[in-house]
Amino acid sequence: MKKVLKSAFLVVVIYCFVACANASDNKSKDIILEPKEYMERLKADSTAFLLDVRRANEYAEGHIPGATLLDVTNEPEFLKGIESLDKDKTIYIYCRSGRRSRIAAKHLIDNGFNVVDLQGGYSAWESAFK
């Protein structure tokens, strides 16, 4: 029963964050790119910081080389983690399919970061490059 309640709570929290992210009028730089353009930009960007916002078990199953893990579903840890990121770097972000990275992008943009998001997430990256 506790697992069901925790899962339901997490769904509601994620839904609220997605709704807020979609409703906001982002004035910060926020770009969503398809995998090939994302990787081209990432490689060419001297200020790039690659951030995987999935869970640790997902990261362990496979990730884009060079990515740092910071789980957005663990909000306190995520918010603490972004405090240590360099705002002069462009954050290249991804999750499994794109939903969690949108939530994370909202937090990052609200905290003054420039963000490039991978459209379709790691699943799209795998399809394009593996």
Side-chain angles (χ1 to χ4, degrees), residues 51-81:
L51 184 61
D52 184 325
V53 297
R54 299 175 300 157
R55 292 183 185 93
N57 65 317
E58 293 172 293
Y59 181 88
E61 291 172 1
H63 57 273
I64 299 174
T68 297
L69 177 64
L70 193 51
D71 182 354
V72 72
T73 64
N74 183 340
E75 188 176 5
E77 182 181 305
F78 179 78
L79 294 175
K80 183 178 179 186

mmCIF file of all heavy atoms in Angstrom, residues 51-81:
data_model
loop_
_atom_site.group_PDB
_atom_site.id
_atom_site.type_symbol
_atom_site.label_atom_id
_atom_site.label_comp_id
_atom_site.label_asym_id
_atom_site.label_seq_id
_atom_site.Cartn_x
_atom_site.Cartn_y
_atom_site.Cartn_z
ATOM 1 N N LEU A 51 24.205 16.312 -18.539
ATOM 2 C CA LEU A 51 23.497 15.930 -17.316
ATOM 3 C C LEU A 51 22.389 14.925 -17.607
ATOM 4 O O LEU A 51 21.458 15.200 -18.371
ATOM 5 C CB LEU A 51 22.906 17.178 -16.657
ATOM 6 C CG LEU A 51 22.207 16.995 -15.318
ATOM 7 C CD1 LEU A 51 23.182 16.456 -14.271
ATOM 8 C CD2 LEU A 51 21.610 18.317 -14.862
ATOM 9 N N ASP A 52 22.490 13.768 -16.988
ATOM 10 C CA ASP A 52 21.481 12.710 -17.056
ATOM 11 C C ASP A 52 20.620 12.839 -15.801
ATOM 12 O O ASP A 52 21.139 12.796 -14.687
ATOM 13 C CB ASP A 52 22.192 11.356 -17.086
ATOM 14 C CG ASP A 52 21.271 10.168 -17.256
ATOM 15 O OD1 ASP A 52 20.140 10.192 -16.723
ATOM 16 O OD2 ASP A 52 21.683 9.193 -17.898
ATOM 17 N N VAL A 53 19.311 13.024 -15.965
ATOM 18 C CA VAL A 53 18.437 13.249 -14.811
ATOM 19 C C VAL A 53 17.559 12.034 -14.475
ATOM 20 O O VAL A 53 16.566 12.153 -13.778
ATOM 21 C CB VAL A 53 17.569 14.519 -14.997
ATOM 22 C CG1 VAL A 53 18.449 15.749 -15.092
ATOM 23 C CG2 VAL A 53 16.651 14.410 -16.198
ATOM 24 N N ARG A 54 17.971 10.858 -14.959
ATOM 25 C CA ARG A 54 17.220 9.633 -14.666
ATOM 26 C C ARG A 54 17.626 9.067 -13.305
ATOM 27 O O ARG A 54 18.454 9.615 -12.602
ATOM 28 C CB ARG A 54 17.491 8.590 -15.767
ATOM 29 C CG ARG A 54 17.060 9.066 -17.148
ATOM 30 C CD ARG A 54 17.445 8.094 -18.239
ATOM 31 N NE ARG A 54 18.903 7.916 -18.255
ATOM 32 C CZ ARG A 54 19.506 6.855 -18.762
ATOM 33 N NH1 ARG A 54 18.814 5.868 -19.291
ATOM 34 N NH2 ARG A 54 20.831 6.768 -18.757
ATOM 35 N N ARG A 55 17.050 7.937 -12.967
ATOM 36 C CA ARG A 55 17.390 7.242 -11.727
ATOM 37 C C ARG A 55 18.719 6.492 -11.902
ATOM 38 O O ARG A 55 19.115 6.171 -13.028
ATOM 39 C CB ARG A 55 16.285 6.261 -11.358
ATOM 40 C CG ARG A 55 14.999 6.957 -10.964
ATOM 41 C CD ARG A 55 13.930 5.945 -10.528
ATOM 42 N NE ARG A 55 12.694 6.637 -10.275
ATOM 43 C CZ ARG A 55 11.722 6.811 -11.179
ATOM 44 N NH1 ARG A 55 11.849 6.339 -12.397
ATOM 45 N NH2 ARG A 55 10.621 7.462 -10.862
ATOM 46 N N ALA A 56 19.358 6.181 -10.791
ATOM 47 C CA ALA A 56 20.667 5.524 -10.811
ATOM 48 C C ALA A 56 20.636 4.185 -11.556
ATOM 49 O O ALA A 56 21.567 3.866 -12.301
ATOM 50 C CB ALA A 56 21.186 5.326 -9.397
ATOM 51 N N ASN A 57 19.565 3.406 -11.377
ATOM 52 C CA ASN A 57 19.497 2.109 -12.060
ATOM 53 C C ASN A 57 19.395 2.290 -13.578
ATOM 54 O O ASN A 57 19.951 1.495 -14.333
ATOM 55 C CB ASN A 57 18.347 1.255 -11.515
ATOM 56 C CG ASN A 57 16.982 1.853 -11.784
ATOM 57 O OD1 ASN A 57 16.769 3.064 -11.635
ATOM 58 N ND2 ASN A 57 16.028 1.021 -12.161
ATOM 59 N N GLU A 58 18.710 3.322 -14.035
ATOM 60 C CA GLU A 58 18.615 3.587 -15.470
ATOM 61 C C GLU A 58 19.978 3.991 -16.026
ATOM 62 O O GLU A 58 20.388 3.544 -17.095
ATOM 63 C CB GLU A 58 17.603 4.702 -15.747
ATOM 64 C CG GLU A 58 16.168 4.331 -15.421
ATOM 65 C CD GLU A 58 15.240 5.514 -15.538
ATOM 66 O OE1 GLU A 58 15.375 6.461 -14.723
ATOM 67 O OE2 GLU A 58 14.386 5.495 -16.447
ATOM 68 N N TYR A 59 20.658 4.860 -15.294
ATOM 69 C CA TYR A 59 21.997 5.317 -15.681
ATOM 70 C C TYR A 59 22.949 4.123 -15.788
ATOM 71 O O TYR A 59 23.716 4.017 -16.738
ATOM 72 C CB TYR A 59 22.493 6.322 -14.652
ATOM 73 C CG TYR A 59 23.852 6.915 -14.930
ATOM 74 C CD1 TYR A 59 23.982 8.055 -15.716
ATOM 75 C CD2 TYR A 59 24.998 6.353 -14.377
ATOM 76 C CE1 TYR A 59 25.225 8.613 -15.958
ATOM 77 C CE2 TYR A 59 26.241 6.911 -14.615
ATOM 78 C CZ TYR A 59 26.355 8.041 -15.403
ATOM 79 O OH TYR A 59 27.593 8.596 -15.650
ATOM 80 N N ALA A 60 22.872 3.207 -14.807
ATOM 81 C CA ALA A 60 23.740 2.030 -14.786
ATOM 82 C C ALA A 60 23.490 1.115 -15.988
ATOM 83 O O ALA A 60 24.418 0.457 -16.475
ATOM 84 C CB ALA A 60 23.546 1.249 -13.485
ATOM 85 N N GLU A 61 22.261 1.100 -16.492
ATOM 86 C CA GLU A 61 21.922 0.268 -17.643
ATOM 87 C C GLU A 61 22.467 0.835 -18.948
ATOM 88 O O GLU A 61 22.553 0.137 -19.947
ATOM 89 C CB GLU A 61 20.408 0.100 -17.747
ATOM 90 C CG GLU A 61 19.824 -0.743 -16.630
ATOM 91 C CD GLU A 61 18.301 -0.755 -16.628
ATOM 92 O OE1 GLU A 61 17.668 -0.130 -17.507
ATOM 93 O OE2 GLU A 61 17.744 -1.386 -15.705
ATOM 94 N N GLY A 62 22.810 2.102 -18.956
ATOM 95 C CA GLY A 62 23.363 2.747 -20.139
ATOM 96 C C GLY A 62 23.137 4.237 -20.092
ATOM 97 O O GLY A 62 22.103 4.694 -19.596
ATOM 98 N N HIS A 63 24.123 4.983 -20.568
ATOM 99 C CA HIS A 63 24.034 6.444 -20.571
ATOM 100 C C HIS A 63 24.936 6.998 -21.670
ATOM 101 O O HIS A 63 25.781 6.287 -22.201
ATOM 102 C CB HIS A 63 24.401 7.021 -19.199
ATOM 103 C CG HIS A 63 25.765 6.626 -18.736
ATOM 104 N ND1 HIS A 63 25.984 5.463 -18.047
ATOM 105 C CD2 HIS A 63 26.961 7.221 -18.887
ATOM 106 C CE1 HIS A 63 27.273 5.352 -17.789
ATOM 107 N NE2 HIS A 63 27.894 6.402 -18.290
ATOM 108 N N ILE A 64 24.746 8.266 -21.980
ATOM 109 C CA ILE A 64 25.603 8.918 -22.958
ATOM 110 C C ILE A 64 26.970 9.108 -22.302
ATOM 111 O O ILE A 64 27.046 9.613 -21.172
ATOM 112 C CB ILE A 64 25.006 10.268 -23.406
ATOM 113 C CG1 ILE A 64 23.637 10.049 -24.078
ATOM 114 C CG2 ILE A 64 25.960 10.988 -24.354
ATOM 115 C CD1 ILE A 64 22.889 11.335 -24.421
ATOM 116 N N PRO A 65 28.044 8.701 -22.976
ATOM 117 C CA PRO A 65 29.380 8.829 -22.383
ATOM 118 C C PRO A 65 29.672 10.264 -21.930
ATOM 119 O O PRO A 65 29.403 11.220 -22.642
ATOM 120 C CB PRO A 65 30.315 8.418 -23.526
ATOM 121 C CG PRO A 65 29.475 7.506 -24.370
ATOM 122 C CD PRO A 65 28.082 8.073 -24.295
ATOM 123 N N GLY A 66 30.199 10.365 -20.721
ATOM 124 C CA GLY A 66 30.558 11.664 -20.162
ATOM 125 C C GLY A 66 29.467 12.316 -19.333
ATOM 126 O O GLY A 66 29.679 13.373 -18.750
ATOM 127 N N ALA A 67 28.300 11.677 -19.260
ATOM 128 C CA ALA A 67 27.175 12.271 -18.528
ATOM 129 C C ALA A 67 27.359 12.143 -17.019
ATOM 130 O O ALA A 67 27.848 11.139 -16.521
ATOM 131 C CB ALA A 67 25.865 11.606 -18.931
ATOM 132 N N THR A 68 26.922 13.176 -16.320
ATOM 133 C CA THR A 68 26.872 13.179 -14.863
ATOM 134 C C THR A 68 25.428 12.903 -14.462
ATOM 135 O O THR A 68 24.505 13.445 -15.062
ATOM 136 C CB THR A 68 27.307 14.556 -14.322
ATOM 137 O OG1 THR A 68 28.661 14.785 -14.693
ATOM 138 C CG2 THR A 68 27.168 14.631 -12.817
ATOM 139 N N LEU A 69 25.247 12.066 -13.460
ATOM 140 C CA LEU A 69 23.908 11.698 -13.003
ATOM 141 C C LEU A 69 23.449 12.605 -11.875
ATOM 142 O O LEU A 69 24.183 12.861 -10.926
ATOM 143 C CB LEU A 69 23.905 10.248 -12.502
ATOM 144 C CG LEU A 69 22.595 9.739 -11.919
ATOM 145 C CD1 LEU A 69 21.489 9.717 -12.969
ATOM 146 C CD2 LEU A 69 22.789 8.362 -11.315
ATOM 147 N N LEU A 70 22.216 13.099 -12.008
ATOM 148 C CA LEU A 70 21.563 13.871 -10.949
ATOM 149 C C LEU A 70 20.062 13.607 -11.079
ATOM 150 O O LEU A 70 19.385 14.174 -11.938
ATOM 151 C CB LEU A 70 21.878 15.365 -11.114
ATOM 152 C CG LEU A 70 21.560 16.291 -9.961
ATOM 153 C CD1 LEU A 70 22.148 15.788 -8.653
ATOM 154 C CD2 LEU A 70 22.113 17.680 -10.263
ATOM 155 N N ASP A 71 19.544 12.711 -10.254
ATOM 156 C CA ASP A 71 18.171 12.207 -10.339
ATOM 157 C C ASP A 71 17.147 13.288 -9.998
ATOM 158 O O ASP A 71 17.042 13.725 -8.859
ATOM 159 C CB ASP A 71 18.031 11.025 -9.385
ATOM 160 C CG ASP A 71 16.665 10.372 -9.393
ATOM 161 O OD1 ASP A 71 15.737 10.879 -10.056
ATOM 162 O OD2 ASP A 71 16.519 9.340 -8.714
ATOM 163 N N VAL A 72 16.373 13.707 -10.988
ATOM 164 C CA VAL A 72 15.370 14.755 -10.779
ATOM 165 C C VAL A 72 14.195 14.279 -9.936
ATOM 166 O O VAL A 72 13.505 15.091 -9.330
ATOM 167 C CB VAL A 72 14.878 15.344 -12.123
ATOM 168 C CG1 VAL A 72 13.985 14.361 -12.861
ATOM 169 C CG2 VAL A 72 14.155 16.664 -11.927
ATOM 170 N N THR A 73 13.974 12.965 -9.835
ATOM 171 C CA THR A 73 12.861 12.472 -9.024
ATOM 172 C C THR A 73 13.167 12.538 -7.534
ATOM 173 O O THR A 73 12.265 12.419 -6.714
ATOM 174 C CB THR A 73 12.436 11.037 -9.401
ATOM 175 O OG1 THR A 73 13.513 10.141 -9.114
ATOM 176 C CG2 THR A 73 12.037 10.956 -10.861
ATOM 177 N N ASN A 74 14.430 12.729 -7.193
ATOM 178 C CA ASN A 74 14.816 12.976 -5.801
ATOM 179 C C ASN A 74 15.032 14.480 -5.679
ATOM 180 O O ASN A 74 16.148 14.976 -5.755
ATOM 181 C CB ASN A 74 16.093 12.199 -5.462
ATOM 182 C CG ASN A 74 16.495 12.362 -4.020
ATOM 183 O OD1 ASN A 74 16.090 13.296 -3.332
ATOM 184 N ND2 ASN A 74 17.330 11.449 -3.554
ATOM 185 N N GLU A 75 13.934 15.198 -5.526
ATOM 186 C CA GLU A 75 13.966 16.659 -5.617
ATOM 187 C C GLU A 75 14.961 17.326 -4.676
ATOM 188 O O GLU A 75 15.720 18.190 -5.118
ATOM 189 C CB GLU A 75 12.564 17.247 -5.427
ATOM 190 C CG GLU A 75 12.540 18.734 -5.708
ATOM 191 C CD GLU A 75 11.152 19.332 -5.627
ATOM 192 O OE1 GLU A 75 10.194 18.633 -5.262
ATOM 193 O OE2 GLU A 75 11.032 20.525 -5.930
ATOM 194 N N PRO A 76 15.012 16.961 -3.384
ATOM 195 C CA PRO A 76 15.989 17.634 -2.512
ATOM 196 C C PRO A 76 17.434 17.449 -3.001
ATOM 197 O O PRO A 76 18.221 18.395 -3.027
ATOM 198 C CB PRO A 76 15.784 16.966 -1.147
ATOM 199 C CG PRO A 76 14.402 16.423 -1.191
ATOM 200 C CD PRO A 76 14.160 16.042 -2.626
ATOM 201 N N GLU A 77 17.754 16.216 -3.396
ATOM 202 C CA GLU A 77 19.103 15.937 -3.900
ATOM 203 C C GLU A 77 19.353 16.688 -5.210
ATOM 204 O O GLU A 77 20.434 17.239 -5.432
ATOM 205 C CB GLU A 77 19.283 14.439 -4.117
ATOM 206 C CG GLU A 77 20.669 14.051 -4.596
ATOM 207 C CD GLU A 77 20.796 12.559 -4.825
ATOM 208 O OE1 GLU A 77 20.520 11.788 -3.883
ATOM 209 O OE2 GLU A 77 21.168 12.176 -5.946
ATOM 210 N N PHE A 78 18.357 16.711 -6.083
ATOM 211 C CA PHE A 78 18.498 17.397 -7.366
ATOM 212 C C PHE A 78 18.733 18.896 -7.158
ATOM 213 O O PHE A 78 19.649 19.478 -7.736
ATOM 214 C CB PHE A 78 17.265 17.172 -8.245
ATOM 215 C CG PHE A 78 17.350 17.864 -9.569
ATOM 216 C CD1 PHE A 78 18.110 17.339 -10.604
ATOM 217 C CD2 PHE A 78 16.694 19.067 -9.787
ATOM 218 C CE1 PHE A 78 18.218 17.984 -11.826
ATOM 219 C CE2 PHE A 78 16.789 19.726 -11.002
ATOM 220 C CZ PHE A 78 17.553 19.171 -12.023
ATOM 221 N N LEU A 79 17.912 19.520 -6.336
ATOM 222 C CA LEU A 79 18.044 20.961 -6.093
ATOM 223 C C LEU A 79 19.383 21.297 -5.453
ATOM 224 O O LEU A 79 20.016 22.296 -5.798
ATOM 225 C CB LEU A 79 16.884 21.473 -5.246
ATOM 226 C CG LEU A 79 15.513 21.411 -5.922
ATOM 227 C CD1 LEU A 79 14.416 21.836 -4.953
ATOM 228 C CD2 LEU A 79 15.475 22.252 -7.187
ATOM 229 N N LYS A 80 19.833 20.443 -4.539
ATOM 230 C CA LYS A 80 21.150 20.639 -3.928
ATOM 231 C C LYS A 80 22.245 20.469 -4.981
ATOM 232 O O LYS A 80 23.207 21.237 -5.015
ATOM 233 C CB LYS A 80 21.348 19.646 -2.786
ATOM 234 C CG LYS A 80 22.652 19.830 -2.051
ATOM 235 C CD LYS A 80 22.778 18.856 -0.902
ATOM 236 C CE LYS A 80 24.117 19.050 -0.205
ATOM 237 N NZ LYS A 80 24.351 18.045 0.822
ATOM 238 N N GLY A 81 22.090 19.472 -5.841
ATOM 239 C CA GLY A 81 23.083 19.200 -6.879
ATOM 240 C C GLY A 81 23.234 20.322 -7.880
ATOM 241 O O GLY A 81 24.353 20.635 -8.315
#
